[in-house]
Amino acid sequence: MLFDLHPKETRGELFGRDEEVEYVKRQVRAGNWVIIGGQRGIGKTSLMKVVLNELSREGFRAIYVNARGGVTTLRDLLMMLINEINRSRLKLRLNVSLNFIVGSAGITLSRGGSRVFNSLLELLLSIDEDTVIGLDEVQELSRVSGQFLRILGNVFMSNPRVSFIFTGSYIGLVKTLLKPNPESPLYGRPPVEVKLRPFNDELSREFLRRGFKESGVQFNSFDIVVDRLDGVVGWLTLFGNYHGIRSLGVDEALRETINEGGVKIMINEIEHFLEDKVNKALYLAILSVLKVVNRWKDIKFAVMARLGREFGDRELLNALNALINYNFVVKVREGEYRLADPILREVDYDKLIKRYLRMDD
């Protein structure tokens, strides 16, 4: 059902993304790697899973790895891949190996093997069938991006039977993958970018119409819901689940979607984004003032007034660009910006700013 909260697995469950599915599949068949980008709740995981499932029926072996589920190191990635390869019974060339033990149940990492880097590289180079690996939320591997990029560059050049599909926000490793510098192992061979965007009003209405028809629920409050949730399929799905499946009233379902669902998820995303940032209050202040102003000069003035200190143009612009790269902010045109997601307008930034200012003190 459209209002099922789990990531979609089949084309019949996925609404409004047929062109993207066909495009990604075409790129993989052509030997290109792909990055699926976009803001939280836009459907990146669903698109990846549908593509992987369809390619698996067309002769590819498909492996899915969720990096958000605790995969932050090369060892984490290696162990996840070993588990998935054993589960799928993928064909490997590991007849003679220092790093792995091959048995009837599959492969295991040898205790006497060499370091993780070599083991992961050997594993990927040993794949002997057309294989597509979906790595979800790849930015979680940013801490080991240098090593991982070396592995990816080697695999791209040495084993054309392996393709990657990545999803993630445009920070860290994802940014490096999309725009590799001349020293990068992937320079001259960047993945193809597919950036998912919110549904327009017409598609949002059709999504809700079909979902409520599946649920057997009469629904006429399209205007208020589409206006508040702005075409983000994750929030539309959550609202549909509250109203169509759990039978909450329209107002209560919308309130739960925004406050109990969306706001909590967004605060978690913001805090995750801020983990490695020095002046956390600056980023929060920018998000806060974008509720009411959108031009560069007004943003700068409002942020300085909000925090009671001056900021140079470069410092402020760097912070703004980081928010853009993470899909919190959209650059509308030169010197004009807006919040990327309607739920970001509902967050209490004052409370967050006070907490982080106390932590800095």
Side-chain angles (χ1 to χ4, degrees), residues 215-268:
S215 307
V217 174
Q218 288 290 113
F219 183 75
N220 297 303
S221 303
F222 293 101
D223 290 345
I224 184 173
V225 174
V226 171
D227 181 63
R228 292 293 298 278
L229 302 182
D230 198 28
V232 179
V233 67
W235 308 139
L236 293 171
T237 301
L238 187 56
F239 169 80
N241 191 279
Y242 277 130
H243 182 56
I245 308 300
R246 308 185 199 190
S247 302
L248 300 185
V250 171
D251 291 341
E252 186 180 1
L254 193 55
R255 184 167 58 251
E256 290 291 308
T257 299
I258 292 171
N259 296 325
E260 294 304 313
V263 168
K264 288 183 178 179
I265 290 171
M266 277 302 178
I267 288 176
N268 183 64

Side-chain angles (χ1 to χ4, degrees), residues 14 17 36 39-48 196 233-234:
L14 187 67
R17 301 296 190 193
I36 302 170
Q39 67 201 73
R40 179 65 186 261
I42 206 66
K44 301 186 295 294
T45 299
S46 291
L47 176 60
M48 171 184 276
L196 298 185
V233 67

Side-chain angles (χ1 to χ4, degrees), residues 27 34 43 51 53-54 78 81-82 179 188 199 220 245 257 294 307 342 358:
Q27 296 305 317
V34 180
V51 167
N53 284 332
E54 293 199 2
L78 174 62
L81 282 173
I82 288 174
K179 298 179 180 179
F199 293 153
N220 297 303
I245 308 300
T257 299
N294 59 10
L307 297 180
R358 285 197 302 269

